Amino acid sequence: MSGWIKHLKHNLQQLKTNFQKRWGQFTEPQLYKRLTLEQSMFTLANDDILQLTLSNASLPVIDAMVALEYRAYDDKVMWQQMDFFNDLVLHPRTFYIQGFIAGELVGFIGCRQDAKDMHISNFAVLPERQGQGIGTILLDQALAQLPAIDRACVTLEARVTNRSAQRFYRHHGFEVVERLTDYYTDDHEDALLMRMCTK
């Protein structure tokens, strides 16, 4: 194990321990521990087997999530390792569904139980794996959690220039409810707030 990984692992463990000691009495159990996947294995049209997991927070998986998101978003760093760790481990109302093919992370979706809705904060599929149904499977499995978290609607933001994402979400029943000006901090691009309700 390289030195920086040992150092990061040690720092992450210290952060988690300190957080639990200081705030443990105020925190609620992590949401993902109450959830189950309706199905965890899927055979894709090309006969590859997609294996899903809930909220795997191991360092190799977190590193793979950072690398996947970088490739999926045209070589832009969206979230760093610590961002994913905080969301996966320290945020009690967050859950992720991660998809693997032959041990390689090929996609993931991150969701949060907000006051009224479920919010999708992260959603990415490897560029070379897009169009194979992986995104639909991940989204469907996330939406299947709505009854368990007592929510009926889902929200997300999409870049105004990301037409393919908007088409994907519209195909799955999402509608634009608001334009958010200067939403993204990296380039001040606007976002479209999209929402879908199951009832």
Side-chain angles (χ1 to χ4, degrees):
M1 185 181 295
S2 67
W4 78 268
I5 293 177
K6 284 183 182 177
H7 182 69
L8 177 62
K9 188 173 183 180
H10 174 74
N11 286 346
L12 293 177
Q13 186 57 48
Q14 274 192 319
L15 179 65
K16 181 179 177 183
T17 300
N18 291 341
F19 180 87
Q20 289 171 336
K21 282 180 182 176
R22 187 165 180 182
W23 302 106
Q25 69 266 33
F26 303 112
T27 60
E28 55 195 283
Q30 289 180 302
L31 178 66
Y32 81 89
K33 293 181 179 179
R34 295 193 284 117
L35 305 178
T36 57
L37 296 171
E38 286 184 343
Q39 186 177 341
S40 61
M41 294 184 71
F42 297 82
T43 303
L44 304 180
N46 63 2
D47 291 328
D48 283 342
I49 304 298
L50 178 69
Q51 175 75 51
L52 302 185
T53 63
L54 264 173
S55 297
N56 184 332
S58 69
L59 286 178
V61 171
I62 290 176
D63 284 344
M65 291 170 71
V66 173
L68 188 159
E69 196 172 58
Y70 182 76
R71 290 178 59 197
Y73 289 99
D74 298 323
D75 300 337
K76 292 180 183 175
V77 176
M78 307 302 284
W79 282 34
Q80 311 248 356
Q81 285 91 343
M82 189 59 76
D83 299 318
F84 280 116
F85 178 84
N86 287 339
D87 213 30
L88 279 158
V89 177
L90 302 182
H91 197 299
R93 293 190 177 192
T94 294
F95 70 93
Y96 279 71
I97 301 174
Q98 298 140 324
F100 299 83
I101 294 177
E104 178 190 20
L105 182 72
V106 296
F108 64 88
I109 186 168
C111 305
R112 181 179 65 242
Q113 181 189 35
D114 282 346
K116 295 182 179 179
D117 301 326
M118 180 176 84
H119 184 75
I120 296 175
S121 57
N122 282 286
F123 193 8
V125 175
L126 277 176
E128 64 269 27
R129 289 288 187 173
Q130 292 175 10
Q132 298 179 2
I134 295 169
T136 295
I137 291 169
L138 289 168
L139 181 59
D140 286 348
Q141 290 301 303
L143 296 178
Q145 305 304 320
L146 286 169
I149 67 171
D150 193 29
R151 299 293 181 269
C153 297
V154 186
T155 60
L156 57 85
E157 295 91 17
R159 288 179 180 267
V160 292
T161 55
N162 194 343
R163 307 283 188 214
S164 61
Q166 294 169 38
R167 280 193 301 273
F168 175 84
Y169 295 131
R170 283 190 175 100
H171 177 74
H172 289 278
F174 286 82
E175 296 178 350
V176 175
V177 294
E178 186 179 352
R179 185 175 178 128
L180 307 173
T181 306
D182 294 331
Y183 181 79
Y184 294 98
T185 57
D186 60 340
D187 58 5
H188 304 287
E189 185 176 356
D190 292 356
L192 298 178
L193 177 63
M194 305 184 77
R195 192 168 190 247
M196 187 273 289
C197 295
T198 57
K199 49 181 165 176

